[in-house]
Amino acid sequence: MTPAAVRPAVGSQGFLRRYVFSTDHKVIGIQYFFLALAAALAGVALSLLMRYHLTNPDTKVGWFGALWPDGAPGGVMTPELYLSLLTMHGTIMVFFVLTTAPQSAFGNFILPLQIGAPDMAFPVLNMLSFWTTALSFAVLLAAFFVEGGAPLSGWTAYPPLSALGAITGPGQGLGQTLWIVSIAIFCAASLMGAINFITTVIDLRTRGMTLLRMPLTVWTWFLTAIISLLAFAVLLAGGILLLLDRTAGTSFFLPAGLLVNEQLLDRRGGSPLLWQHLFWFFGHPEVYIAILPGMGVVSTVLSVFSRKPVFGYRAMVYASLAIAFIGFLVWGHHMFQSGMNPYSAFAFSLLTMVIGVPSAIKTFNWLGTIWGGRMEFTTAMLFALGFVSVFVTGGLSGLFLGQSAIDIYFHDTYFVVGHFHIIMGVASVFGIFAATFYWFPKMFGRHLSERLGKAHFYATFLGAYAIFMPMHFLGFAGNPRRYPDFTNFEFLADLIPLHKAISHAAYFTAAAQLLFLGNLVYSLWRGKAASANPWNATTLEWATASPPPEHNFDEALPVVQHGPYEYSVPGAAKDFVMQHEPAESK
Amino acid sequence: MLLAVLLWIFTVVSCLAFAAKRWWFPGAISTHAQAYDQQLGLTLWVCGAIFVAAQLLLGWAVYRYRNRGQSVRFTRGSNRLEFAWTTATAVVFLGLMFSGFGIWAKLHFARPPAGALRVEVMAKQFAWSYRYPGPDGKFGRTDVRLVNDAAGNPFGLDEQDPAAKDDIVASALRVPERTPVVLTLLARDVIHNFFVRELRLKQDVVPGMAIPLAFQADRPGKYEVACSELCGLGHHQMRSLMEVMTRDAFDEWLREQAR
């Protein structure tokens, strides 16, 4: 049988075919990487504007006014502009950074290499999914430039606010429509990617690569693809219904008797809660889409730089399976206070606590992996260790929110903002950084600077905690999220100093990312040249050149003889045994 | 090494910040709020203990197992350990959850006493209104087509209905102390959220639904009501007051309004 990935030689192809509309999974992975990087820069920039406005609500900033004549007349940001920045920040970060970088960028580049395949199963589909994602990003950004600007309903876009058009506020017109269209396109792209990943893992594993010899990264990319397939399909359906409510006069999410802005609407029969069910049926698994690949990366990096096998490999696989499955059964914990039947809170609360168990198992196994090891603190390793720390912190605040009763007070406060930024944002981003430092030599044939990398890690580690830990206290004080300023409530006045500190921590942490950007640009051209296997690692991507040739493996595809994490095996000649090394070298 | 120290410092600083309670909950003014605070305290202690243990342990591992040329203690795992920590976390997590279920159940499933004060709450972009049934104890008929904010009729009271004539509509929520109250939460445009910190109560207000919310406030005072579900550009201004009054003061206020 001929693998689907076998293609004619490409020597004759021009620049466009090779680097722009390439079907090579490695080029596509790098394209996704830079798309995610661009999106991250945009998303961080928006968050800085938000943090600035929150603590300086009345300050005139000339270029705000120049950039947004309507949104910031005279240079003072209006609440609607703030809310549109908030919507776009969340959307960009969740979809185009946290979904795109861990899965589409690194998964694309590394997964075929790690399973010993010459490419993804459907190379053309792969190209198509990247360009569809890029189109989706362009449509989203276009929302900034249309009449009324970007939507203000948040990344969750709850109807009726999101379903009624410009009558509910600026940005709710064409801007909100573009937002929905962008998300629908993104769903389509993700579905294409998911099918490709799943098929590749099932069909294109090289000889000897049994399921339980797959590196944990392959497992997590595989499971993430399955989650994506099921979750994005539901979001796509929800998005289409919302679009119909907006443009075709349907009432899927709209009840009778709506009186909006003095206008009585002729809609009936729909339910605002239906959207929340559809959205969170996608939205909660999305958290695992963002974090699972990072868990795979962290498991691998901790093992490589402790020179020890992953502790409890099978337990890790089962925990990942459990997370992927139960992740679909907990969406209701986002809706404890939504007005849905309060009896359902028992089930959702129970399942939410249950899903904490496999997460805890992973943490224990990570500690087990480094315990008794010989740790080398490369930047990748530091980010992996940082991941464990923030994963614990963010997971524990989840034990507050997962109890329906305790969630009453914290729902929609900064406690939630702190919780999900740590567990979904910072943890995933640490996973991305660990992956970047670990695989950069393979992707680009050069090392990132370790010195700059470590400075960047420490600044980011401290900065991220300095931003998001204090948010828990804001939550204790009851500070609602998604407020453009805190001037209207007496109880919020006391919190301004804390907000100021958070803003300064945000400026500091954002500035620290310049270290990474500088490192990236410098190392792309001037970085230390990388050998095929600079970390003395065991998995198959290190069995080929850095960067790998056109079809990944120059000669025959490698044949797998060992598990993925054979470090310091007693009796072996060296402290690592690569997966494809003949058995007698043990 | 540096990471180990940072982890330890971070853990200590976090604990101190929690212990200082500089930014904290306002005092509880109801039995529900007290029960809530108790469960929250338990959760804080349990999670705090796990947090400290995990971060310190991580820091210790980073310090202890840094590369000093030692040989690696080879292991692939331990089923006994996996079993032990799976069981332990399941017991702790589920125990925490079950101990909090009573609060939820009491709030949502307890039948309010017959004599409870009933108040309707209407949320719209970006204001709150409250309606009392008046001396006849009956809420009059409403119709959304009769809504007229400028004329002080945010509920759309139908003047044709005799029961509507004595209904009281106010922009602040006034309730007597130590009296069961049942709110009916209504919204007419988008989703809002009724949040009073001191009651530890928060409930979405959804158009098309009439969501009940029961409480009993025990301490007189003025408390802020904050919208806690993004409802548009004036979300952050959507404030009103809840005034808990002595029984006499409340009755006096009712009489004044009925006149």
Side-chain angles (χ1 to χ4, degrees):
Chain A
M1 208 172 80
T2 324
V6 168
R7 293 162 299 139
V10 281
S12 58
Q13 292 178 350
F15 176 83
L16 266 185
R17 263 327 241 147
R18 284 194 82 145
Y19 297 109
V20 182
F21 297 106
S22 171
T23 55
D24 183 337
H25 71 99
K26 298 184 289 297
V27 177
I28 294 170
I30 289 171
Q31 287 174 323
Y32 267 118
F33 178 81
F34 282 106
L35 175 69
L37 186 66
L41 291 176
V44 168
L46 295 178
S47 70
L48 292 179
L49 294 177
M50 286 155 61
R51 282 313 317 175
Y52 180 82
H53 175 72
L54 283 178
T55 40
N56 307 276
D58 304 320
T59 310
K60 283 189 179 140
V61 181
W63 58 270
F64 282 6
L67 215 48
W68 290 286
D70 298 326
V76 178
M77 201 185 283
T78 57
E80 50 270 34
L81 176 60
Y82 174 88
L83 291 174
S84 73
L85 301 181
L86 173 145
T87 303
M88 295 295 266
H89 166 77
T91 310
I92 288 172
M93 286 307 205
V94 169
F95 291 97
F96 295 96
V97 180
L98 299 181
T99 308
T100 301
Q103 178 78 359
S104 308
F106 292 110
N108 246 309
F109 195 104
I110 301 295
L111 182 135
L113 289 164
Q114 281 195 335
I115 61 170
D119 203 322
M120 295 289 265
F122 308 117
V124 176
L125 189 69
N126 204 14
M127 173 186 78
L128 202 60
S129 61
F130 169 74
W131 283 107
T132 311
T133 308
L135 172 69
S136 156
F137 191 47
V139 172
L140 182 70
L141 292 184
F144 270 125
F145 303 99
V146 297
E147 175 80 34
L152 49 72
S153 59
W155 85 282
T156 49
Y158 280 9
L161 184 60
S162 62
L164 296 175
I167 187 177
T168 50
Q172 295 309 91
L174 188 51
Q176 182 76 63
T177 303
L178 285 174
W179 183 91
I180 300 170
V181 171
S182 160
I183 296 307
I185 298 173
F186 189 90
C187 290
S190 296
L191 292 176
M192 289 188 251
I195 292 167
N196 213 347
F197 273 64
I198 294 168
T199 315
T200 304
V201 172
I202 291 175
D203 269 1
L204 294 190
R205 277 172 290 132
T206 188
R207 212 141 56 81
M209 181 61 85
T210 59
L211 288 179
L212 287 176
R213 278 183 182 164
M214 293 199 309
L216 289 170
T217 40
V218 174
W219 267 109
T220 50
W221 285 319
F222 179 49
L223 291 171
T224 301
I226 296 174
I227 299 173
S228 299
L229 188 67
L230 300 173
F232 278 109
V234 174
L235 181 64
L236 180 58
I240 290 170
L241 298 186
L242 187 56
L243 203 58
L244 287 173
D245 270 10
R246 293 175 57 81
T247 56
T250 57
S251 300
F252 293 104
F253 306 124
L254 300 172
L258 287 181
L259 179 66
V260 183
N261 220 347
E262 320 245 312
Q263 226 173 301
L264 192 57
L265 303 181
D266 184 24
R267 305 289 190 103
R268 63 178 59 84
S271 156
L273 291 195
L274 174 61
W275 165 263
Q276 296 182 28
H277 283 293
L278 293 171
F279 182 85
W280 289 115
F281 189 86
F282 146 80
H284 196 81
E286 165 63 31
V287 175
Y288 298 108
I289 290 175
I291 196 95
L292 265 173
M295 291 171 158
V297 170
V298 166
S299 305
T300 299
V301 167
L302 291 180
S303 169
V304 171
F305 296 107
S306 300
R307 312 310 290 167
K308 267 188 73 204
V310 167
F311 193 94
Y313 170 88
R314 271 172 189 254
M316 286 299 221
V317 172
Y318 299 148
S320 301
L321 282 164
I323 287 173
F325 179 68
I326 308 170
F328 278 103
L329 305 176
V330 301
W331 80 91
H333 68 216
H334 298 270
M335 298 171 60
F336 284 147
Q337 323 308 335
S338 70
M340 71 171 176
N341 188 328
Y343 282 102
S344 63
F346 289 135
F348 285 122
S349 194
L350 179 78
L351 288 159
T352 302
M353 293 314 220
V354 167
I355 205 173
V357 176
S359 305
I361 292 174
K362 281 185 173 277
T363 308
F364 282 118
N365 281 312
W366 288 325
L367 287 172
T369 302
I370 60 176
W371 209 262
R374 189 175 62 237
M375 274 192 262
E376 210 61 71
F377 298 114
T378 59
T379 310
M381 181 64 161
L382 290 173
F383 273 111
L385 292 164
F387 179 104
V388 177
S389 171
V390 294
F391 186 72
V392 167
T393 307
L396 286 170
S397 51
L399 291 184
F400 291 73
L401 301 171
Q403 303 177 52
S404 56
I406 296 299
D407 180 64
I408 297 171
Y409 185 90
F410 288 125
H411 172 80
D412 255 16
T413 65
Y414 268 83
F415 189 93
V416 176
V417 180
H419 163 70
F420 76 73
H421 272 95
I422 288 181
I423 196 85
M424 190 189 186
V426 180
S428 300
V429 167
F430 278 19
I432 294 170
F433 280 134
T436 306
F437 278 86
Y438 182 61
W439 280 316
F440 193 86
K442 185 52 63 182
M443 294 170 78
F444 299 103
R446 290 180 185 282
H447 283 269
L448 284 163
S449 154
E450 282 290 315
R451 182 184 283 195
L452 279 174
K454 283 174 191 173
H456 168 234
F457 165 76
Y458 285 113
T460 307
F461 180 74
L462 289 180
Y465 266 141
I467 298 169
F468 298 116
M469 279 308 274
M471 287 192 182
H472 296 93
F473 295 109
L474 295 174
F476 281 7
N479 192 344
R481 62 191 282 214
R482 295 172 161 177
Y483 273 21
D485 63 58
F486 307 114
T487 52
N488 294 283
F489 286 82
E490 281 166 32
F491 79 93
L492 294 176
D494 183 44
L495 303 175
I496 300 288
L498 201 49
H499 272 292
K500 288 206 162 130
I502 292 172
S503 289
H504 285 109
Y507 307 148
F508 166 80
T509 314
Q513 303 317 302
L514 296 175
L515 289 172
F516 174 71
L517 284 183
N519 195 352
L520 191 73
V521 172
Y522 173 85
S523 303
L524 274 174
W525 279 276
R526 294 288 173 80
K528 194 177 81 179
S531 63
N533 187 5
W535 312 120
N536 290 337
T538 52
T539 45
L540 292 183
E541 77 270 35
W542 307 108
T544 185
S546 303
E550 183 81 27
H551 288 298
N552 295 347
F553 300 94
D554 264 336
E555 296 138 29
L557 296 177
V559 176
V560 170
Q561 314 280 355
H562 309 280
Y565 302 108
E566 298 294 289
Y567 294 99
S568 307
V569 180
K574 50 190 193 314
D575 79 343
F576 66 105
V577 182
M578 295 192 73
Q579 283 199 276
H580 68 299
E581 281 185 55
E584 54 270 23
S585 77
K586 237 184 181 179
Chain B
M1 191 57 185
L2 177 56
L3 179 61
V5 176
L6 285 181
L7 279 167
W8 291 331
I9 293 176
F10 161 67
T11 310
V12 173
V13 169
S14 300
C15 290
L16 289 176
F18 276 90
K21 299 191 178 183
R22 167 67 182 83
W23 290 282
W24 210 250
F25 302 85
I29 61 165
S30 67
T31 5
H32 161 78
Q34 282 162 0
Y36 178 96
D37 288 1
Q38 211 159 18
Q39 173 67 13
L40 182 82
L42 176 72
T43 308
L44 260 175
W45 277 109
V46 171
C47 292
I50 302 174
F51 171 77
V52 171
Q55 303 289 358
L56 292 185
L57 209 63
L58 181 63
W60 166 251
V62 166
Y63 169 77
R64 174 72 178 76
Y65 300 111
R66 69 191 190 278
N67 184 359
R68 293 168 300 166
Q70 78 272 33
S71 58
V72 166
R73 286 215 302 269
F74 181 85
T75 168
R76 292 183 191 279
S78 146
N79 285 341
R80 262 175 56 195
L81 278 176
E82 300 287 351
F83 181 78
W85 56 51
T86 304
T87 314
T89 44
V91 167
V92 173
F93 291 5
L94 293 180
L96 207 51
M97 178 201 67
F98 281 114
S99 86
F101 265 178
I103 299 167
W104 183 264
K106 206 176 257 176
L107 177 64
H108 286 285
F109 309 131
R111 221 173 264 269
L117 172 70
R118 295 193 173 263
V119 186
E120 273 190 4
V121 180
M122 175 63 78
K124 65 149 199 161
Q125 288 183 322
F126 302 99
W128 298 97
S129 310
Y130 304 91
R131 174 159 83 123
Y132 299 77
D136 66 352
K138 270 192 258 173
F139 285 111
R141 197 169 51 232
T142 59
D143 188 327
V144 65
R145 282 166 299 190
L146 300 174
V147 166
N148 188 339
D149 291 323
N153 190 4
F155 284 85
L157 272 177
D158 184 354
E159 293 293 331
Q160 308 297 318
D161 180 16
K165 287 202 192 320
D166 65 346
D167 283 11
I168 299 162
V169 173
S171 61
L173 174 62
R174 290 178 181 80
V175 296
E177 61 172 332
R178 297 176 201 285
T179 309
V181 179
V182 182
L183 304 180
T184 303
L185 302 176
L186 307 166
R188 67 152 107 122
D189 41 29
V190 301
I191 300 176
H192 303 274
N193 180 297
F194 181 87
F195 175 38
V196 179
R197 299 184 309 147
E198 292 80 358
L199 289 173
R200 311 286 188 266
L201 281 187
K202 178 176 287 172
Q203 175 62 57
D204 274 3
V205 190
V206 184
M209 296 175 78
I211 301 172
L213 184 65
F215 66 90
Q216 175 175 325
D218 294 337
R219 201 189 304 160
K222 285 185 180 172
Y223 310 99
E224 291 180 292
V225 179
C227 182
S228 294
E229 190 68 63
L230 177 57
C231 61
L233 57 90
H235 175 44
H236 61 300
Q237 299 163 342
M238 196 164 156
R239 168 187 188 268
S240 78
L241 280 180
M242 178 181 89
E243 187 175 354
V244 180
M245 309 166 93
T246 60
R247 187 77 232 187
D248 292 346
F250 180 74
D251 290 340
E252 173 63 28
W253 174 77
L254 270 188
R255 271 196 298 280
E256 262 173 40
Q257 298 298 311
R259 246 181 268 137

